[in-house]
Amino acid sequence: MGIEITCGECAHKAGRPRNEEVRTKIIEAALELLEEGGYAKVTCDGIAQRAGCGKATIYRWWPNKAAVVINAFAEAVTPELPNEKLDCLRDYVTGHMHRFTKVLMGRNGRILAAVIAGAQDDEEVAEAFLAHWLKPRRAVSRRILGEYQNEG
């Protein structure tokens, strides 16, 4: 059983377009609650209350709590961990490890820990984390590492 995660630029359901300000508030509320109490304590009611919107707004844009949380996680962490080819393999590996270490030591490290902990008890979170974060990043890394190998 997979879940679809949309981000505002992807497939939309019919109806009124997303209000970007409300979407941003929902994402930030999910991150705050995740950081404060871990995945088990996050609820769509809590996200809606903190974001100042109705729960129906969340369910109109995401199918469930796991989708909101993984979408929020990906939006928060991805900019801090660009996965792109650099001039040489050494720069790629060391640069990525330095950025990842920095992420782990900050707010997004706490959020990552909460997502991983949530994935231990919730299959939807585990599937979404693998499908929408880990597997795509691994695929890009494999491609980049293959390019370095072909150059050598």
Side-chain angles (χ1 to χ4, degrees):
M1 170 173 78
I3 62 175
E4 178 185 340
I5 297 180
T6 58
C7 65
E9 297 174 17
C10 305
H12 277 316
K13 295 178 182 173
R16 198 170 40 186
R18 289 186 183 191
N19 177 320
E20 189 60 28
E21 183 180 331
V22 172
R23 192 194 71 76
T24 300
K25 287 180 182 179
I26 291 169
I27 293 294
E28 188 56 38
L31 292 171
E32 288 170 1
L33 292 168
L34 188 62
E35 183 180 19
E36 289 170 11
Y39 180 79
K41 302 259 182 183
V42 176
T43 64
C44 285
D45 283 328
I47 293 170
Q49 182 178 14
R50 178 139 334 168
C53 69
K55 190 167 71 168
T57 300
I58 294 171
Y59 285 117
R60 186 170 39 249
W61 295 337
W62 292 276
N64 54 38
K65 173 178 86 164
V68 178
V69 167
I70 295 301
N71 191 180
F73 164 77
E75 283 191 29
V77 176
T78 299
E80 291 189 50
L81 292 175
N83 197 4
E84 56 198 19
K85 188 174 179 192
L86 300 176
D87 290 335
C88 69
L89 176 60
R90 180 179 177 187
D91 289 348
Y92 173 75
V93 172
T94 58
H96 193 73
M97 296 313 302
H98 285 269
R99 287 188 300 273
F100 188 62
T101 300
K102 185 177 177 183
V103 165
L104 291 176
M105 295 175 66
R107 176 188 192 210
N108 286 334
R110 292 185 297 277
I111 291 168
L112 174 60
V115 168
I116 291 171
Q120 303 303 307
D121 297 323
D122 188 317
E123 191 173 320
E124 285 185 329
V125 176
E127 288 177 7
F129 181 70
L130 285 171
H132 298 284
W133 175 256
L134 202 53
K135 286 182 180 180
R137 290 190 64 84
R138 283 180 180 167
V140 171
S141 294
R142 268 191 221 98
R143 180 187 52 78
I144 291 171
L145 292 171
E147 289 175 17
Y148 286 120
Q149 185 177 26
N150 292 335
E151 291 172 1

